[in-house]
Amino acid sequence: MTDTASAPEYAIEVENLQKIYAAQGKVPEKHALKGISLKIPRGSIFGLLGPNGAGKSTFINILAGLVNKTSGTARIWGLDIDEHPRQSRAAIGVVNQEIVADPFFTPIEMLDLMAGFYGVPKSERQSFEILKAVGLDDKKDAYVRQLSGGMKRRLMVAKALVHNPPVLILDEPTAGVDVELRRSLWTYVRELHARGTTIILTTHYLEEAEELCDSIAIVNHGEIVACEPTPKLLARLDYKTLVISPKQPLESVPETLRALDATIRRSGDLAITFRTSETGISRLLEQVKDAGIGIGDLVTETPDLEDVFLSLTSEPA
Ligand code: ADP
Ligand code: MG
């Protein structure tokens, strides 16, 4: 599929991308993307992280050719989407947020149809191999309506891969997906990445982006508010909260722990926030024990997306 373009430095390059959805009836116009510029290096696993309504799907759908941009430029695999609409789209496989699967076809038929749609010659189609890779080979002749939600999701991934694109884009692929499927999906995505596919995924879970992505762009209200290698982004969030359920309820923070960032929660739990680079948990636990507190249970809480936004807006970058 990519024989027409030699491997570019960036899988995706967008410059000042804007999208204004026109007003419809009583719904006012919506400035969904306010000038996004982004370069996604070839070979990366890139995360587009942001809350619902941030503009993630709009961005993906413009690349996929499902939404018309208002202004700006976009290149996929070095190809401008206006100048080379067909070729540029052949370089990406997109797994949409919504599951759309025609109930009257079997998985193998769907993949063959899709391959035909992309103009993949019969001799080069790998429908069965792809089904096998996503663990649906035993369902190849089942009706799609008989598949579970998780299986349909995997079929969507398979559909996006029929033309062997160098870039795979997944829009919130784990929304409404159980833990087991999430794991197997990620294992497969990592395999694809190891074989050279550039991966772009959107999510509103920091944890998910953190676990998978080597770089993360944070998008909020149609703007990129941060774009950094994952470790650098996480370094901004260099703290955790240790929450201890004491064996005997506490009324106040013991004298010896007052120097720490410690509070008593309404539940009676003791919460201590600490910098992970400065303080070890074992050291904290010793202090807690020295204060005469019996530990009934404990958990650590890590910062989430809300906290990222707070840290981005409260500290100069
Ligand atoms: P995300 O995927 O990050 O949740 P979206 O790109 O779906 O965000 O939406 C961004 C904003 O654009 C939201 O306010 C949403 O309501 C609006 N929007 C999305 N699609 C349309 C559309 N087809 N028409 C009008 N507004 C839309
Ligand atoms: Mg979305």
Side-chain angles (χ1 to χ4, degrees):
M1 264 302 112
T2 56
D3 48 336
T4 45
S6 55
E9 184 177 4
Y10 297 106
I12 305 285
E13 276 174 277
V14 304
E15 184 89 21
N16 203 13
L17 196 63
Q18 303 232 22
K19 175 62 191 180
I20 300 171
Y21 289 105
Q24 278 188 328
K26 284 187 181 146
V27 183
E29 71 166 31
K30 175 77 199 179
H31 204 162
L33 295 182
K34 299 172 183 163
I36 283 193
S37 298
L38 202 55
K39 287 182 175 169
I40 302 179
R42 169 172 50 89
S44 51
I45 301 194
F46 191 92
L48 202 59
L49 176 70
N52 284 328
K56 304 180 297 294
S57 293
T58 299
F59 176 79
I60 301 301
N61 289 337
I62 289 172
L63 294 177
L66 300 171
V67 165
N68 288 321
K69 61 187 163 63
T70 303
S71 63
T73 59
R75 283 171 173 273
I76 303 171
W77 211 246
L79 299 160
D80 186 284
I81 60 169
D82 293 329
E83 287 166 32
H84 306 280
R86 218 178 46 82
Q87 276 178 301
S88 62
R89 260 104 209 191
I92 50 172
V94 181
V95 184
N96 283 112
Q97 196 171 344
E98 291 84 28
I99 295 179
V100 277
D102 194 314
F104 299 109
F105 290 104
T106 66
I108 196 89
E109 285 168 346
M110 270 182 64
L111 294 201
D112 278 337
L113 269 172
M114 204 66 195
F117 172 78
Y118 276 108
V120 182
K122 279 216 166 75
S123 60
E124 288 173 26
R125 292 186 194 168
Q126 299 205 305
S127 305
F128 183 72
E129 287 72 17
I130 295 170
L131 281 182
K132 205 168 162 187
V134 298
L136 285 178
D137 42 325
D138 58 335
K139 298 282 176 205
K140 78 181 177 70
D141 298 319
Y143 281 109
V144 170
R145 62 178 131 83
Q146 296 167 328
L147 303 182
S148 70
M151 290 174 182
K152 283 183 191 145
R153 180 72 69 177
R154 275 182 278 164
L155 183 57
M156 298 278 291
V157 176
K159 263 176 76 183
L161 293 170
V162 292
H163 55 305
N164 193 24
V167 186
L168 179 67
I169 303 183
L170 302 135
D171 193 5
E172 307 235 15
T174 56
V177 154
D178 62 53
V179 178
E180 204 176 317
L181 172 62
R182 188 177 298 208
R183 287 233 180 80
S184 69
L185 196 60
W186 290 152
T187 304
Y188 183 53
V189 163
R190 285 203 186 92
E191 258 171 54
L192 281 172
H193 178 246
R195 281 191 264 141
T197 307
T198 302
I199 310 283
I200 298 162
L201 67 99
T202 77
T203 177
H204 57 266
Y205 298 114
L206 175 64
E207 269 173 33
E208 192 159 275
E210 180 184 332
E211 191 187 323
L212 282 163
C213 303
D214 47 37
S215 291
I216 297 175
I218 298 183
V219 51
N220 197 25
H221 298 301
E223 288 174 300
I224 304 272
V225 291
C227 180
E228 291 176 343
T230 306
K232 206 173 156 202
L233 187 80
L234 293 178
R236 293 174 186 261
L237 296 168
D238 167 37
Y239 63 89
K240 282 185 182 171
T241 302
L242 174 66
V243 184
I244 292 165
S245 304
K247 284 194 176 138
Q248 261 84 49
L250 291 175
E251 310 230 303
S252 60
V253 177
E255 196 64 48
T256 52
L257 300 179
R258 294 255 162 95
L260 300 172
D261 179 359
T263 54
I264 306 288
R265 293 192 173 167
R266 289 175 60 145
S267 56
D269 289 350
L270 173 68
I272 305 171
T273 297
F274 62 101
R275 287 209 163 267
T276 40
S277 61
E278 288 167 6
T279 316
I281 284 190
S282 50
R283 169 95 194 78
L284 280 180
L285 288 176
E286 265 169 42
Q287 283 179 270
V288 170
K289 277 189 216 147
D290 290 348
I293 298 171
I295 298 173
D297 199 1
L298 63 88
V299 289
T300 52
E301 294 173 353
T302 48
D304 61 15
L305 187 52
E306 291 299 313
D307 300 312
V308 182
F309 286 134
L310 278 177
S311 86
L312 286 172
T313 46
S314 60
E315 288 165 33

PDB file of all heavy atoms in Angstrom, residues 245-252 264 267-269 293-294:
ATOM      1  N   SER A 245      -6.057   2.811  56.071  1.00  0.00           N
ATOM      2  CA  SER A 245      -7.205   2.614  56.965  1.00  0.00           C
ATOM      3  C   SER A 245      -6.653   2.082  58.278  1.00  0.00           C
ATOM      4  O   SER A 245      -6.193   0.950  58.340  1.00  0.00           O
ATOM      5  CB  SER A 245      -8.178   1.594  56.383  1.00  0.00           C
ATOM      6  OG  SER A 245      -8.573   1.986  55.104  1.00  0.00           O
ATOM      7  N   PRO A 246      -6.696   2.923  59.325  1.00  0.00           N
ATOM      8  CA  PRO A 246      -6.103   2.491  60.589  1.00  0.00           C
ATOM      9  C   PRO A 246      -7.000   1.469  61.292  1.00  0.00           C
ATOM     10  O   PRO A 246      -8.203   1.433  61.051  1.00  0.00           O
ATOM     11  CB  PRO A 246      -6.032   3.782  61.401  1.00  0.00           C
ATOM     12  CG  PRO A 246      -6.841   4.790  60.687  1.00  0.00           C
ATOM     13  CD  PRO A 246      -7.296   4.255  59.381  1.00  0.00           C
ATOM     14  N   LYS A 247      -6.370   0.649  62.101  1.00  0.00           N
ATOM     15  CA  LYS A 247      -7.160  -0.343  62.858  1.00  0.00           C
ATOM     16  C   LYS A 247      -8.092   0.371  63.840  1.00  0.00           C
ATOM     17  O   LYS A 247      -9.232  -0.024  64.011  1.00  0.00           O
ATOM     18  CB  LYS A 247      -6.220  -1.284  63.606  1.00  0.00           C
ATOM     19  CG  LYS A 247      -5.594  -2.312  62.667  1.00  0.00           C
ATOM     20  CD  LYS A 247      -4.940  -3.444  63.440  1.00  0.00           C
ATOM     21  CE  LYS A 247      -4.409  -4.497  62.487  1.00  0.00           C
ATOM     22  NZ  LYS A 247      -3.086  -4.977  62.901  1.00  0.00           N
ATOM     23  N   GLN A 248      -7.575   1.408  64.509  1.00  0.00           N
ATOM     24  CA  GLN A 248      -8.423   2.246  65.363  1.00  0.00           C
ATOM     25  C   GLN A 248      -8.638   3.583  64.656  1.00  0.00           C
ATOM     26  O   GLN A 248      -7.687   4.147  64.136  1.00  0.00           O
ATOM     27  CB  GLN A 248      -7.738   2.520  66.718  1.00  0.00           C
ATOM     28  CG  GLN A 248      -8.222   1.608  67.837  1.00  0.00           C
ATOM     29  CD  GLN A 248      -7.478   0.288  67.808  1.00  0.00           C
ATOM     30  OE1 GLN A 248      -6.258   0.285  67.724  1.00  0.00           O
ATOM     31  NE2 GLN A 248      -8.190  -0.826  67.866  1.00  0.00           N
ATOM     32  N   PRO A 249      -9.889   4.049  64.632  1.00  0.00           N
ATOM     33  CA  PRO A 249     -10.153   5.306  63.929  1.00  0.00           C
ATOM     34  C   PRO A 249      -9.328   6.463  64.500  1.00  0.00           C
ATOM     35  O   PRO A 249      -9.068   6.511  65.703  1.00  0.00           O
ATOM     36  CB  PRO A 249     -11.642   5.553  64.170  1.00  0.00           C
ATOM     37  CG  PRO A 249     -12.150   4.425  64.982  1.00  0.00           C
ATOM     38  CD  PRO A 249     -11.060   3.469  65.275  1.00  0.00           C
ATOM     39  N   LEU A 250      -8.916   7.372  63.639  1.00  0.00           N
ATOM     40  CA  LEU A 250      -8.121   8.521  64.065  1.00  0.00           C
ATOM     41  C   LEU A 250      -9.004   9.760  64.089  1.00  0.00           C
ATOM     42  O   LEU A 250      -9.880   9.914  63.247  1.00  0.00           O
ATOM     43  CB  LEU A 250      -6.981   8.766  63.073  1.00  0.00           C
ATOM     44  CG  LEU A 250      -5.854   7.743  63.016  1.00  0.00           C
ATOM     45  CD1 LEU A 250      -4.901   8.095  61.885  1.00  0.00           C
ATOM     46  CD2 LEU A 250      -5.113   7.706  64.342  1.00  0.00           C
ATOM     47  N   GLU A 251      -8.746  10.615  65.023  1.00  0.00           N
ATOM     48  CA  GLU A 251      -9.513  11.861  65.071  1.00  0.00           C
ATOM     49  C   GLU A 251      -8.737  12.994  64.424  1.00  0.00           C
ATOM     50  O   GLU A 251      -9.308  13.872  63.810  1.00  0.00           O
ATOM     51  CB  GLU A 251      -9.833  12.216  66.512  1.00  0.00           C
ATOM     52  CG  GLU A 251     -10.427  11.027  67.234  1.00  0.00           C
ATOM     53  CD  GLU A 251     -11.685  11.367  67.953  1.00  0.00           C
ATOM     54  OE1 GLU A 251     -11.649  12.273  68.803  1.00  0.00           O
ATOM     55  OE2 GLU A 251     -12.713  10.699  67.666  1.00  0.00           O
ATOM     56  N   SER A 252      -7.425  12.925  64.577  1.00  0.00           N
ATOM     57  CA  SER A 252      -6.607  13.972  63.972  1.00  0.00           C
ATOM     58  C   SER A 252      -5.264  13.380  63.556  1.00  0.00           C
ATOM     59  O   SER A 252      -4.924  12.259  63.943  1.00  0.00           O
ATOM     60  CB  SER A 252      -6.392  15.112  64.970  1.00  0.00           C
ATOM     61  OG  SER A 252      -5.721  14.588  66.110  1.00  0.00           O
ATOM     62  N   ILE A 264      -6.831  13.670  57.513  1.00  0.00           N
ATOM     63  CA  ILE A 264      -7.772  12.601  57.857  1.00  0.00           C
ATOM     64  C   ILE A 264      -8.997  12.776  56.972  1.00  0.00           C
ATOM     65  O   ILE A 264      -9.570  13.862  56.911  1.00  0.00           O
ATOM     66  CB  ILE A 264      -8.226  12.691  59.333  1.00  0.00           C
ATOM     67  CG1 ILE A 264      -7.031  12.723  60.285  1.00  0.00           C
ATOM     68  CG2 ILE A 264      -9.172  11.546  59.679  1.00  0.00           C
ATOM     69  CD1 ILE A 264      -6.299  11.426  60.418  1.00  0.00           C
ATOM     70  N   SER A 267     -13.866   9.332  55.942  1.00  0.00           N
ATOM     71  CA  SER A 267     -13.971   7.898  56.230  1.00  0.00           C
ATOM     72  C   SER A 267     -13.134   7.496  57.442  1.00  0.00           C
ATOM     73  O   SER A 267     -13.245   6.382  57.933  1.00  0.00           O
ATOM     74  CB  SER A 267     -13.471   7.127  55.016  1.00  0.00           C
ATOM     75  OG  SER A 267     -12.144   7.541  54.715  1.00  0.00           O
ATOM     76  N   GLY A 268     -12.272   8.411  57.919  1.00  0.00           N
ATOM     77  CA  GLY A 268     -11.372   8.092  59.012  1.00  0.00           C
ATOM     78  C   GLY A 268     -10.018   7.603  58.503  1.00  0.00           C
ATOM     79  O   GLY A 268      -9.122   7.310  59.285  1.00  0.00           O
ATOM     80  N   ASP A 269      -9.877   7.516  57.191  1.00  0.00           N
ATOM     81  CA  ASP A 269      -8.595   7.085  56.622  1.00  0.00           C
ATOM     82  C   ASP A 269      -7.570   8.219  56.722  1.00  0.00           C
ATOM     83  O   ASP A 269      -7.923   9.396  56.676  1.00  0.00           O
ATOM     84  CB  ASP A 269      -8.755   6.709  55.140  1.00  0.00           C
ATOM     85  CG  ASP A 269      -9.537   5.413  54.955  1.00  0.00           C
ATOM     86  OD1 ASP A 269      -9.776   4.715  55.973  1.00  0.00           O
ATOM     87  OD2 ASP A 269      -9.910   5.117  53.808  1.00  0.00           O
ATOM     88  N   ILE A 293       0.194   3.941  64.883  1.00  0.00           N
ATOM     89  CA  ILE A 293      -1.015   3.634  64.117  1.00  0.00           C
ATOM     90  C   ILE A 293      -0.950   2.199  63.605  1.00  0.00           C
ATOM     91  O   ILE A 293       0.014   1.811  62.943  1.00  0.00           O
ATOM     92  CB  ILE A 293      -1.165   4.615  62.929  1.00  0.00           C
ATOM     93  CG1 ILE A 293      -1.314   6.052  63.462  1.00  0.00           C
ATOM     94  CG2 ILE A 293      -2.351   4.240  62.052  1.00  0.00           C
ATOM     95  CD1 ILE A 293      -1.250   7.110  62.388  1.00  0.00           C
ATOM     96  N   GLY A 294      -1.985   1.415  63.945  1.00  0.00           N
ATOM     97  CA  GLY A 294      -2.065   0.060  63.398  1.00  0.00           C
ATOM     98  C   GLY A 294      -2.665   0.133  61.997  1.00  0.00           C
ATOM     99  O   GLY A 294      -3.687   0.775  61.800  1.00  0.00           O
TER     100      GLY A 294
END
